[in-house]
Amino acid sequence: MSAPLPPNPYHPHAWIAGTPEIGADTWIGAFTLVDGLGGLKIGRGCNISSGAQVLSHSTTRRCVTEGRHAAVDKSPTELGDFVFVGANAVVLMGCRVGHHSVIGAGAVLTEGMEVPPYSLVVGVPARVVRSIAGEIERWGQEGAGRAASS
């Protein structure tokens, strides 16, 4: 029988390692791994979908060198405010994702990737495909119109 997941204020099936800084109104879905062991800041209002991984450390060099590289590599990772991380996306250590960005489902952000604000990021390896600033503005106006007519 396996040990239960440590309690957290998000989904009970999310794994939060270390002590990441997580902003208000952020949601972390089921079966996610949020790794604060190397330094992690997640802004306010973010949504991290099921199965996503946000990492701040790596054991790759330690593993492939048969332990001759004894250290666990760590690099702070940061998600800005109002970032959406799609299902099963992976954000590797050292990435910096600008505010109001969308990381598409299944995308893999390589170590140290810099994502400008208002970006749509997709693929393996991930790439910024375009700005979504105009769409966000339009979506906000559409949402405000619906709320007023209800």
Side-chain angles (χ1 to χ4, degrees):
M1 181 178 198
S2 63
L5 293 173
N8 70 74
Y10 308 101
H11 195 283
H13 295 292
W15 185 284
I16 313 293
T19 53
E21 180 183 332
I22 301 174
D25 300 320
T26 286
W27 172 247
I28 298 172
F31 313 113
T32 56
L33 171 59
V34 174
D35 160 31
L37 299 174
L40 175 60
K41 181 178 179 183
I42 298 173
R44 63 189 173 92
C46 295
N47 282 352
I48 302 176
S49 298
S50 295
Q53 299 178 46
V54 182
L55 305 171
S56 64
H57 85 280
S58 172
T59 60
T60 302
R61 293 195 302 173
R62 186 178 72 180
C63 177
V64 299
T65 63
E66 300 176 29
R68 291 186 310 272
H69 181 83
V72 171
D73 294 316
K74 296 178 180 179
S75 184
T77 302
E78 185 173 341
L79 303 181
D81 294 336
F82 304 102
V83 169
F84 178 88
V85 179
N88 299 311
V90 178
V91 179
L92 293 176
M93 71 176 193
C95 289
R96 298 177 71 81
V97 179
H99 60 87
H100 295 88
S101 290
V102 172
I103 309 303
V108 178
L109 280 67
T110 56
E111 289 182 8
M113 184 173 181
E114 298 274 341
V115 175
Y118 298 101
S119 292
L120 173 61
V121 180
V122 300
V124 179
R127 66 197 181 288
V128 175
V129 293
R130 62 186 166 83
S131 172
I132 58 172
E135 288 168 279
I136 291 171
E137 180 64 29
R138 187 178 72 249
W139 294 338
Q141 291 171 355
E142 290 171 0
R146 286 189 190 124
S149 65
S150 314

